[in-house]
Amino acid sequence: MPDLAAARRVTAVDIAKEVGVSRATVGFVLNNTPGKKISDATRARVLDAAARLGYQPNRAAADLARGRSKIILLVLPGRLLGSSLQASLDESARVLAEAGYALVTQTGGPGGAPPLWETLNPDVVIGWTTFTDDEVASMRLAGVRRIVPRPGESARYDQAPGVSEGARMQVDHLHELGHRRIALASLADSQMLELQRTRAEAAVRRAEDLGMEVVGVRAVAHADGSSADAVRAWAADGVTAVVAYNDDVAATVAGAAIAAGLRIPADLAVIGHDDSPMAELFYPPLSSVRMDTVEAARYLAEVALHEADGRPLTSTWTELDTYVVARKSTTG
């Protein structure tokens, strides 16, 4: 007899042919279906053939039959992707895989692909930012019942204390170095407004508590001249340091400052967030905030499993290990 398991997945049809019974009979035996009169001899022959051929249940098909896909769909904003997030998603996927679930991600934004919840039948849809009413209505129409954040609630990832702690640390770092007049730089991306607003508000509040002046928040991009305009305006306004939303923004600001003839950090100090590889590779190397993305990833996976099958939540985002990695863009 050929080794069917080595060539492809052995099915109930293969077992039925081997034993000489119907596919239905094999199904009744393998699923131990109650109320079906099958002789002990036939039952033994089916189980013996299943073991000999290397049959393994198709768990995905069984889940679908029960109305479960074992898929968690995570919807990300257009500009959130990066090395630190990828490491976090890898850890989330690992935790979910151990629990029998698959993590699927989709990047949102105008003009993007149709939402995957329309075709994947996910058990849970998680949004990094709050879903719109139209998106919620689309999910309901597609049969999605478990949505995080729930309709009417803010996205917990944007509002978690651990997310805004890094912004406060950026300000503390600059204050310790003697800066008293600072500005904030953000992404020119409407998809990230909620998270950017959370960090900016935390930074402003911390600066006010420390008696620092905040000139304001400016969106910058490397291709449209906005970063050069911002640097000129800050220099004219006496700004000595910039709190950047992330390392991409910090590099954009630092690059524009260098192009304008300013010295980093003597004329303008810059600190980023996320401690991506760019922070260390940029010259001068960028000071940044490093967060424990592994713990954040496990929390996201726990939220998904809690929604999917009621597993308990044992961790939070309120105690993430977050600290400043000081480099030459602020310390010289």
Side-chain angles (χ1 to χ4, degrees), residues 64-206:
L64 284 173
R66 293 193 295 269
R68 303 287 298 279
S69 66
K70 290 300 186 78
I71 292 174
I72 307 298
L73 176 60
L74 175 62
V75 181
L76 302 169
R79 287 287 300 275
L80 192 58
L81 296 177
S83 59
S84 60
L85 175 64
Q86 188 58 58
S88 181
L89 293 181
D90 289 345
E91 178 65 14
S92 294
R94 185 192 67 77
V95 174
L96 289 170
E98 289 181 351
Y101 288 80
L103 177 66
V104 176
T105 62
Q106 181 172 27
T107 301
L116 289 177
W117 60 71
E118 293 181 354
T119 56
L120 288 182
N121 186 35
D123 289 344
V124 183
V125 177
I126 299 179
W128 201 272
T129 55
T130 305
F131 290 116
T132 66
D133 291 342
D134 288 344
E135 288 171 329
V136 171
S138 174
M139 289 182 221
R140 296 301 193 201
L141 189 62
V144 177
R145 294 294 173 260
R146 300 176 182 89
I147 303 171
V148 180
R150 292 183 176 86
E153 294 182 354
S154 296
R156 64 186 69 189
Y157 310 108
D158 288 351
Q159 304 302 324
V163 173
S164 56
E165 179 62 23
R168 290 189 287 269
M169 289 185 173
Q170 288 174 300
V171 174
D172 285 343
H173 177 67
L174 296 176
H175 183 269
E176 290 170 3
L177 293 172
H179 297 282
R180 297 296 181 266
R181 189 169 178 80
I182 65 174
L184 276 58
S186 67
L187 282 169
D189 188 339
S190 61
Q191 290 293 305
M192 293 304 302
L193 285 180
E194 290 186 61
L195 184 52
Q196 292 195 96
R197 185 180 300 114
T198 298
R199 286 187 183 172
E201 289 174 351
V204 170
R205 285 195 298 269
R206 184 57 176 164

Side-chain angles (χ1 to χ4, degrees), residues 255-271:
I258 293 169
L262 299 180
R263 298 167 298 164
I264 305 289
D267 298 322
L268 189 69
V270 182
I271 183 169

